[in-house]
Amino acid sequence: MVQISIEHLTKNYGTLVALNNVSLKIESGEVFGLLGPNGAGKSTLLKTLVGILRPTSGTIKLDEIEIVASPEKAKSIIGYLPENPSLYTGLTTLEFLQFVGKIRGVADDLLDREISDSLKSFSLEDKRNSLIGSLSKGMKQKVALIATNLHNPQVLVLDEPLTALDPRTRVSVKDWIGSQTKRGVTTILSTHDLDVAQSHAGRIAIIDHGKIVAVDNIEGLRKMANAKSDAQLEDVFLRLTEEQA
Amino acid sequence: MYSCDSPRNRLKIRLGDLPLSLGTVGVLVRYWIKGRFTRATIASLVVGEAFSVIFVLFGSSTYLSFSNKVGLTTGLSEVAGSLILALYIVGLIQSGFNGSGLPVSSSDVDYVFTSPVPPGDVFAAKVLLNSLTTVLFGFPPILVLYLRFSSYYHTGALVAFLAGAVTLMFFVIGLLLSADITLSLGRGIGERRKPLRNFFIILVLVISLLPITLLISEVPGAVAEAARILPNGLAATISVGLVSGTPGTINYLTDLVLLVAWLVGFLVLGIRLSRGHFYEVLEVSVPGVEKFDKPDQTSRLNPRGRSLWSVVRAKERILISRTREARALFINAMFLSGFLVIYALSGSFQSSPTSFLFILFIIGSFGSGTASRWIEKERLWILKSSPVSMRRYVKEVFRARIAPLLFYLTPVTVAVGVPLVLSQLGQPSLLLGVVLALPGALEIAAITMAGGMYFASRYGQSSNDDILSSQAQELADIRRFLFQTVINLIIVSPVIVLVLVSQSLATSVGSGNLPELAGGLVLASVVFTGFSINLLLNRAGDAVRRREDL
């Protein structure tokens, strides 16, 4: 169980301010939703959080582990799924998962078992010897999700995990996210799918132009947006981001 | 409604029994130019162009002064020109077999290939654009090169201009050949036809290697003649002959007619090949779209009980073996081995041991080019979000991907070097140069390949490359290649200088202390090489780790 503390995080790309003094605290075991229009800074925030990007200023801590100071230590407890995960298409599903397991330090015995169980739960057993290049988009997404979780991370960072998936795959991915929540994993979920955010996330942050516009649970966000008590998250989101604009 | 049927676009020509709509071709070319040549792209190309001109001036002047110094009064030879052009052709043949003979981007696939434009028009537009950009950007450095040589031979600027135009025509022929080879790669040709296809590949390679045999003084006249009428032989004969002031107007005209015949031949062949649906054989530089003949494979990684880095190397080897890269490496190996064997047979090494260093530098640069094409691009998220050290990862990729070429070159170097060492035993001062040149050659190749990895990490991999895709990408690659060649040359210069000054050193030290001196110098060059490779690969790892545009 890991708590995430983000303090005064700023990320610039040249003159472009992608993240502007972002501060967040995500409790251990919490599922935290991240919403925002295209180009708001969601992916930059997540990439900075997992150590792919270096912050211009500010700090990110996973419990006491500071991501810039101890990137290897932090990365060993994070599972990251990018928005468009690109995989080694020339490897088979099994080879890819074995490779990822190895670079994430999973013990051999555990790795075999973990891969078999995961392939089974995602109904990919018959694809273990198929080249990834021959899999459908949905199957590739499932493989990427398995890879994200092979080392049983304590923090999951998922960037648009449901993009362009067919309904059946969406259901299985949603179920998977639910199962991780039960396991007590701290999860950050960036999504355009407001239903998923509403149903899975305890608290939601709305980010726009690199700034956090609002953070709260759905009821709190409704209040902030002066929306009705039964207003859908979509309404709330539109009101809050319009105000910001 | 398909607008290309408008009166404006009705102008059609017939080439190879295929009507081409010039209007459609014009629309496509205009769209590609507008879409790809942004201000930033043009600025970088102009900088690259200026750099190329400086590089050409530096290279040609160094070559001429070196030629004078070692007594090669010819300065420039048709054989050397033909060989250099053969290298270009081999590179393009390789690219053709990789499916990159007609460079396409994903936007071509999404918008052009799904439009009702006939494939023949797409082919013509691609070839036209590639040729235009090659001519446009290739002409300044080539003209500068020939002007430098023409001033050396006092043959005048007009001659340099004509020679440049002929060389450019050869470049266009190379592009057409590459495109034709790609078009000939029909997918799903069936098991029975595969041996035929493989035979064709080998035949094309053998023919392209023919000019190298010219290094052998006893080569039969028929082979020399056959090599001479190949496009590179013709282009070298005309360009070098003109610049160096060799008389023979009628011969030049005949050669020019033959060269034009090659151009027209490849063009007609390409247009005929492009009549069918050829889009599926083209290689699009987008991750996740590689095509594999067999979707199911036996897993070969087997990580149980193996170290992390052994698994990383195994992964690289599996990826190479399952993609078209394996074919490219095979072609490289064929070319390099043929080149070295013929070089050894030619006796050039015996007359000038230091030339071996330059030969290996060329080979190292070839390997460096291979290294610089190492691309993981969007897949780097897997590594960058994991706790692995990028420095070590890059080193392991170097071991898996590049080092085999060095192992491959080692026995060839030994085979070439041992007879030479034995023959020089009576001349201690020359022997030192030979003893240093042999490991030095491998060291140079290793350093340049590490340099290639550094450049791939620092400047490659980026999705920005996709913006420069297609013809501009080819040009960017050429400039990067030239740039890294210069940098590599600077890094390896201590090894080269060591060999060059060996004779003076041996004379001043005396034959009694020669073994100690040789041992010490070899050790020093090995240590320097190890240090340089380590430094370059560490920098490469750091470059990947720091980059934010991946």
Side-chain angles (χ1 to χ4, degrees), chain B residues 377-445:
Chain B
K377 278 190 171 176
E378 285 76 2
R379 272 157 271 193
L380 279 170
W381 69 270
I382 298 165
L383 302 152
K384 291 184 77 173
S385 65
S386 81
V388 295
S389 152
M390 286 312 299
R391 280 187 169 195
R392 184 69 193 269
Y393 182 79
V394 169
K395 284 177 186 168
E396 297 303 331
V397 171
F398 181 81
R399 274 182 71 181
R401 199 169 265 273
I402 313 299
L405 196 56
L406 288 173
F407 286 118
Y408 175 77
L409 289 174
T410 303
V412 181
T413 308
V414 170
V416 171
V418 168
L420 189 71
V421 170
L422 294 175
S423 71
Q424 303 284 344
L425 284 176
Q427 293 175 283
S429 60
L430 282 177
L431 186 62
L432 181 63
V434 175
V435 168
L436 287 174
L438 291 169
L442 286 173
E443 288 160 16
I444 287 170

Side-chain angles (χ1 to χ4, degrees), chain A:
Chain A
M1 303 271 271
V2 173
Q3 185 189 60
I4 302 169
S5 308
I6 301 171
E7 285 176 15
H8 308 296
L9 183 68
T10 296
K11 176 67 192 171
N12 300 338
Y13 295 112
T15 53
L16 177 78
V17 183
L19 293 176
N20 190 355
N21 199 26
V22 170
S23 293
L24 284 171
K25 187 158 271 188
I26 300 160
E27 299 302 328
S28 56
E30 181 179 9
V31 178
F32 189 84
L34 192 61
L35 298 181
N38 292 328
K42 300 188 296 294
S43 292
T44 300
L45 177 59
L46 299 190
K47 282 182 180 174
T48 314
L49 183 62
V50 301
I52 290 180
L53 297 179
R54 201 179 167 85
T56 305
S57 62
T59 55
I60 301 171
K61 279 185 181 176
L62 310 178
D63 281 346
E64 291 309 309
I65 306 168
E66 216 277 300
I67 186 89
V68 175
S70 313
E72 286 85 12
K73 215 170 170 184
K75 286 174 183 180
S76 64
I77 58 166
I78 299 175
Y80 169 60
L81 179 78
E83 187 176 357
N84 296 304
S86 181
L87 315 177
Y88 292 105
T89 48
L91 296 183
T92 64
T93 304
L94 179 62
E95 286 167 343
F96 175 71
L97 294 174
Q98 285 173 329
F99 170 69
V100 174
K102 205 75 184 176
I103 62 170
R104 293 188 180 277
V106 183
D108 289 346
D109 289 342
L110 204 62
L111 183 59
D112 287 345
R113 202 169 58 238
E114 196 65 44
I115 290 173
S116 293
D117 291 350
S118 302
L119 288 174
K120 198 173 176 183
S121 64
F122 276 105
S123 308
L124 284 175
E125 284 165 300
D126 59 333
K127 298 292 176 192
R128 61 192 287 131
N129 288 323
S130 298
L131 290 176
I132 288 177
S134 70
L135 301 181
S136 68
K137 187 172 171 56
M139 287 176 186
K140 282 179 190 161
Q141 185 77 347
K142 287 182 187 177
V143 173
L145 273 171
I146 295 172
T148 302
N149 201 42
L150 272 178
H151 56 305
N152 280 313
Q154 296 171 58
V155 176
L156 271 176
V157 178
L158 309 175
D159 195 354
E160 306 286 358
L162 300 165
T163 304
L165 295 180
D166 65 72
R168 191 178 293 275
T169 312
R170 283 172 71 89
V171 169
S172 57
V173 173
K174 282 182 194 173
D175 289 347
W176 179 82
I177 295 170
S179 70
Q180 298 309 308
T181 313
K182 283 179 194 155
R183 202 163 64 83
V185 176
T186 308
T187 306
I188 301 182
L189 178 66
S190 162
T191 180
H192 284 300
D193 191 324
L194 303 182
D195 290 343
V196 173
Q198 194 163 353
S199 60
H200 284 73
R203 284 189 308 147
I204 294 165
I206 294 177
I207 184 169
D208 198 11
H209 293 95
K211 282 183 174 176
I212 299 293
V213 179
V215 189
D216 213 326
N217 56 26
I218 181 69
E219 287 78 22
L221 290 176
R222 281 180 185 129
K223 278 183 193 163
M224 279 187 214
N226 294 320
K228 291 177 187 168
S229 59
D230 59 346
Q232 290 298 300
L233 184 55
E234 191 173 40
D235 282 338
V236 175
F237 173 76
L238 287 173
R239 280 170 182 252
L240 287 170
T241 50
E242 271 166 19
E243 274 173 24
Q244 179 71 11

Side-chain angles (χ1 to χ4, degrees), chain B residues 364 398 402 406 440-452 492 529 533 536:
Chain B
F398 181 81
I402 313 299
L406 288 173
L442 286 173
E443 288 160 16
I444 287 170
I447 292 173
T448 50
M449 289 180 205
V492 302
T529 303
I533 293 175
L536 285 166

Side-chain angles (χ1 to χ4, degrees), chain B residues 425-502:
Chain B
L425 284 176
Q427 293 175 283
S429 60
L430 282 177
L431 186 62
L432 181 63
V434 175
V435 168
L436 287 174
L438 291 169
L442 286 173
E443 288 160 16
I444 287 170
I447 292 173
T448 50
M449 289 180 205
M453 286 291 285
Y454 170 70
F455 278 91
S457 307
R458 183 79 178 82
Y459 301 107
Q461 313 284 352
S462 169
S463 49
N464 285 341
D465 286 356
D466 292 336
I467 297 167
L468 289 172
S469 64
S470 189
Q471 78 287 357
Q473 177 65 62
E474 295 288 316
L475 288 163
D477 283 347
I478 291 167
R479 269 147 194 78
R480 202 162 67 201
F481 181 73
L482 290 175
F483 181 52
Q484 75 188 48
T485 302
V486 172
I487 302 292
N488 282 342
L489 189 56
I490 293 167
I491 298 172
V492 302
S493 57
V495 181
I496 293 178
V497 167
L498 208 57
V499 180
L500 291 177
V501 301
S502 60

Side-chain angles (χ1 to χ4, degrees), chain B residues 28-364:
Chain B
L28 285 175
V29 170
R30 210 165 58 232
Y31 149 75
W32 282 326
I33 289 175
K34 279 188 176 175
R36 289 179 187 144
F37 287 94
T38 60
R39 275 186 193 171
T41 314
I42 291 168
S44 68
L45 286 173
V46 168
V47 171
E49 200 69 21
F51 177 78
S52 302
V53 168
I54 293 166
F55 173 75
V56 162
L57 270 177
F58 172 77
S60 55
S61 300
T62 309
Y63 177 76
L64 286 172
S65 87
F66 180 75
S67 299
N68 284 332
K69 205 173 175 182
V70 298
L72 299 171
T73 50
T74 51
L76 183 67
S77 78
E78 288 170 15
V79 173
S82 180
L83 271 174
I84 291 167
L85 297 182
L87 281 172
Y88 169 80
I89 278 280
V90 168
L92 283 177
I93 289 171
Q94 186 183 317
S95 154
F97 281 119
N98 281 345
S100 312
L102 269 181
V104 290
S105 66
S106 53
S107 57
D108 291 335
V109 176
D110 293 344
Y111 302 108
V112 181
F113 291 2
T114 54
S115 76
V117 175
D121 289 8
V122 175
F123 169 79
K126 279 278 171 200
V127 165
L128 182 63
L129 187 67
N130 287 349
S131 306
L132 278 176
T133 47
T134 300
V135 169
L136 191 66
F137 293 106
F139 195 61
I142 285 171
L143 183 63
V144 167
L145 176 73
Y146 286 128
L147 281 172
R148 180 72 189 86
F149 280 113
S150 68
S151 78
Y152 178 80
Y153 289 107
H154 309 291
T155 45
L158 179 65
V159 161
F161 187 87
L162 289 173
V166 170
T167 306
L168 285 174
M169 191 196 296
F170 165 77
F171 284 171
V172 173
I173 290 172
L175 292 174
L176 284 169
L177 171 64
S178 184
D180 290 354
I181 290 172
T182 293
L183 292 183
S184 70
L185 296 174
R187 279 181 60 75
I189 57 169
E191 288 301 316
R192 281 201 306 176
R193 285 191 183 176
K194 273 189 179 170
L196 273 177
R197 199 246 340 244
N198 294 342
F199 173 74
F200 173 69
I201 292 174
I202 291 168
L203 186 70
V204 171
L205 279 172
V206 167
I207 292 172
S208 63
L209 286 170
L210 213 53
I212 298 170
T213 58
L214 298 177
L215 281 171
I216 306 171
S217 52
E218 301 85 22
V219 67
V223 176
E225 275 306 304
R228 222 187 68 78
I229 59 164
L230 290 173
N232 49 315
L234 291 168
T237 306
I238 303 171
S239 301
V240 176
L242 282 174
V243 170
S244 59
T246 311
T249 316
I250 299 295
N251 287 344
Y252 289 143
L253 280 176
T254 316
D255 288 347
L256 189 62
V257 168
L258 281 172
L259 198 62
V260 172
W262 278 112
L263 178 82
V264 174
F266 283 135
L267 180 63
V268 171
L269 179 66
I271 290 178
R272 286 190 69 90
L273 283 168
S274 68
R275 281 188 301 187
H277 178 79
F278 62 85
Y279 298 151
E280 63 182 3
V281 302
L282 303 181
E283 186 72 18
V284 184
S285 56
V286 173
V289 295
E290 290 97 324
K291 293 165 182 166
F292 300 96
D293 292 335
K294 293 176 187 167
D296 288 342
Q297 303 269 338
T298 308
S299 291
R300 287 166 22 205
L301 197 65
N302 190 22
R304 184 171 280 273
R306 295 172 76 177
S307 73
L308 160 63
W309 302 116
S310 147
V311 170
V312 167
R313 290 193 298 274
K315 183 265 291 179
E316 283 298 318
R317 284 193 284 267
I318 291 170
L319 286 174
I320 290 169
S321 70
R322 287 195 187 138
T323 58
R324 286 174 173 162
E325 217 177 323
R327 195 155 55 197
L329 287 174
F330 172 71
I331 292 169
N332 270 354
M334 287 266 295
F335 174 75
L336 293 180
S337 53
F339 191 85
L340 275 175
V341 167
I342 292 166
Y343 172 77
L345 289 174
S346 72
S348 307
F349 191 20
Q350 280 80 347
S351 57
S352 170
T354 49
S355 69
F356 195 49
L357 287 168
F358 290 101
I359 293 294
L360 262 286
F361 177 72
I362 290 171
I363 290 172

